[in-house]
Amino acid sequence: MTLSEHPTPIEAEPARDERSFVIIGGGQTGAVAAVALRDEGFAGRIILVGEETHLPYERPPLSKDVLIQPDKAKVTIHGADVYAARAIETRLGRRATAIDRAARIVTLDDGETLAYDRLLIATGARPRPYPLLDALGGGVFTMRTLGDAEALRAAIAPGKRLLVVGGGVIGLEVAASATVLGATVTVIERGDRLMARAAPQPLADALMLMHEARGVRFAFGAALADARRTEGGGFLLTCEDRRSFEGDLIVYGIGVTLNTEPAVAAGLAIDNGIVTDEFGRTSDPAIYAAGDVAHQWHQSLGRHIRQETWQNARVQGAAVAAAMVRDVPCAHELPWYWTDQYQSNFQVAGSPEATDWIRRGDPTAARYTLFGVTDGRIVGAVTVDNGREMRPAKELIASGRPVDLEALRDPKQDLRKLAAAVR
């Protein structure tokens, strides 16, 4: 035989991945998931759809750095080069208007259609509207987008009277930033305390004292009955109990409305968000959901939970991306969030509800940790300018085991060793 009868074998090219994974939602979750899909080894087409024209950015700096020091604020999650290097297509300034589950097609508001093999819904939430205040027009702000933050920053000036309606995390962060900028601030809260959904009473009390020391005024049990403009161009808010408040600007934060409209129209299961299983899958196995909009199954807690935190958006975006590529259950972390107000950092982990809250260390110290205790077990923790203790605190919560409370109170006891003892 001649050599020509034994041709050199030609290696077959690897099969191309013809699949398309589409992500609708250009926030933290969507941005993290897009990059994670590629890092997990997915070689097909990835398309990220976002309503805002900006590249995906982080929201926590909006009520802090973007207001106080906009020239130094860093909000963009990934630069354009990151998406280009991973061949991630972006459709910015575009909105998904319909999901055809049978055809596996997403339609955008400009008429473009995107076929998908797997779809991730990470559409997040928007501020819950307040028609009484929205009707007032200019000078009334919410705090959710970069545009919101930039508009408020342009309006705040020393001596301006700011009325903050809603005593949650966003309201308090805006109050702190506005105070630093020289505004006078009044926080108007319908309930009887601050951060009722997200913080234990001892933390709420500490936050109020900190704000009051800087001149912020608070009104509780203040349900608004009337809102109008004054002849001088300001605002007058009147409560049901006839208390009234005058200001030049209004910021309100009374919760969020979930962006579930495409999911609802597509017939996906909805219950306090888009219901997902341990893989992040919705009631349609080709569609996943993550972030604020997802009512996710939390394996370690044994129930569905929905979280509106930076940490959840980051962790769940990566976890659901892994599930989409490798069909693995989503990893979950203990619920945790932080807030920076003035020069102080507050971190909260676990449940804000506990039978008792005990303080670790000197009761007069500015830096300390609180532990929420129920039936001898740690169920929650708060650090105040003491973030180094948050990791072992999380471990104590996650263990679910009884803890020596006297040792816990003693700052001379190494918290890491106490956590290691209950693993």
Side-chain angles (χ1 to χ4, degrees):
M1 290 186 180
T2 65
L3 290 176
S4 61
E5 293 176 286
H6 293 282
T8 303
I10 299 175
E11 290 188 15
E13 292 186 5
R16 293 180 59 188
D17 192 334
E18 300 291 345
R19 294 177 299 166
S20 291
F21 284 7
V22 175
I23 302 169
I24 55 175
Q28 177 93 27
T29 303
V32 168
V35 171
L37 284 173
R38 196 65 83 202
D39 292 348
E40 287 285 347
F42 178 63
R45 189 182 185 194
I46 299 174
I47 308 169
L48 175 64
V49 180
E51 286 194 36
E52 295 186 64
T53 56
H54 307 285
L55 285 170
Y57 57 85
E58 296 185 328
R59 299 192 190 280
L62 300 183
S63 53
K64 299 180 280 287
D65 290 348
V66 174
L67 291 181
I68 298 173
Q69 47 184 6
D71 294 339
K72 297 180 180 179
K74 296 180 180 180
V75 298
T76 303
I77 299 169
H78 302 301
D81 58 323
V82 172
Y83 299 104
R86 288 168 172 77
I88 297 170
E89 302 174 42
T90 58
R91 302 286 192 276
L92 302 179
R94 312 276 283 281
R95 179 171 57 86
T97 58
I99 300 170
D100 184 334
R101 291 168 53 190
R104 293 192 178 181
I105 289 175
V106 174
T107 301
L108 306 186
D109 53 1
D110 64 351
E112 182 182 6
T113 56
L114 301 173
Y116 67 85
D117 291 278
R118 291 191 172 180
L119 171 67
L120 172 58
I121 302 176
T123 45
R126 59 188 183 273
R128 181 182 299 162
Y130 203 149
L132 180 68
L133 300 181
D134 294 336
L136 297 172
V140 177
F141 303 86
T142 56
M143 182 58 64
R144 183 73 183 184
T145 68
L146 185 57
D148 293 338
E150 291 173 340
L152 180 59
R153 178 66 181 86
I156 292 178
K160 287 284 187 180
R161 301 167 300 168
L162 175 64
L163 303 177
V164 175
V165 178
V169 174
I170 292 298
L172 292 180
E173 289 182 349
V174 169
S177 297
T179 299
V180 170
L181 292 170
T184 61
V185 180
T186 300
V187 176
I188 302 168
E189 168 56 43
R190 184 185 185 95
D192 59 2
R193 51 160 288 193
L194 298 174
M195 293 176 61
R197 291 191 306 117
Q201 187 70 54
L203 176 57
D205 293 341
L207 288 169
M208 187 170 74
L209 289 173
M210 180 182 67
H211 279 272
E212 287 181 329
R214 290 164 173 81
V216 177
R217 295 184 293 271
F218 292 91
F220 295 101
L224 296 183
D226 186 62
R228 62 186 64 190
R229 287 190 175 272
T230 64
E231 292 184 0
F235 301 99
L236 177 65
L237 304 183
T238 304
C239 298
E240 292 176 355
D241 60 9
R242 298 186 180 180
R243 281 179 291 172
S244 62
F245 307 91
E246 283 196 61
D248 303 302
L249 305 168
I250 297 172
V251 175
Y252 73 82
I254 57 170
V256 299
T257 297
L258 301 180
N259 296 324
T260 57
E261 287 84 356
V264 171
L268 299 178
I270 306 291
D271 178 15
N272 185 29
I274 304 171
V275 179
T276 66
D277 65 10
E278 66 270 27
F279 295 87
R281 295 176 302 209
T282 69
S283 51
D284 183 327
I287 301 178
Y288 296 70
D292 293 3
V293 78
H295 196 189
Q296 56 185 294
W297 176 257
H298 199 293
Q299 189 65 38
S300 60
L301 296 178
R303 58 185 174 86
H304 282 86
I305 65 170
R306 192 180 63 78
Q307 302 178 68
E308 299 168 19
T309 67
W310 173 91
Q311 173 75 351
N312 181 65
R314 183 183 66 83
V315 171
Q316 199 179 33
V320 174
M324 292 173 71
V325 176
R326 296 188 285 113
D327 290 317
V328 293
C330 292
H332 291 285
E333 292 191 3
L334 190 76
W336 168 82
Y337 74 91
W338 88 92
T339 176
D340 293 324
Q341 299 178 32
Y342 303 107
Q343 299 300 314
S344 293
N345 170 261
F346 305 85
Q347 298 186 34
V348 181
S351 172
E353 299 179 2
T355 303
D356 297 295
W357 285 87
I358 64 174
R359 179 166 172 152
R360 175 174 166 83
D362 184 348
T364 64
R367 185 180 305 226
Y368 59 92
T369 299
L370 297 171
F371 288 98
V373 182
T374 298
D375 297 329
R377 293 172 172 79
I378 308 302
V379 298
V382 175
T383 61
V384 178
D385 288 327
N386 203 25
R388 64 183 180 180
E389 290 197 339
M390 182 47 73
R391 177 174 290 182
K394 287 181 179 179
E395 292 175 357
L396 287 168
I397 298 169
S399 75
R401 297 178 181 176
V403 179
D404 184 341
L405 300 184
E406 288 307 314
L408 199 64
R409 287 188 175 95
D410 184 359
K412 295 179 182 178
Q413 297 283 340
D414 189 328
L415 198 61
R416 291 171 297 180
K417 291 182 178 179
L418 292 177
V422 297
R423 283 178 192 158

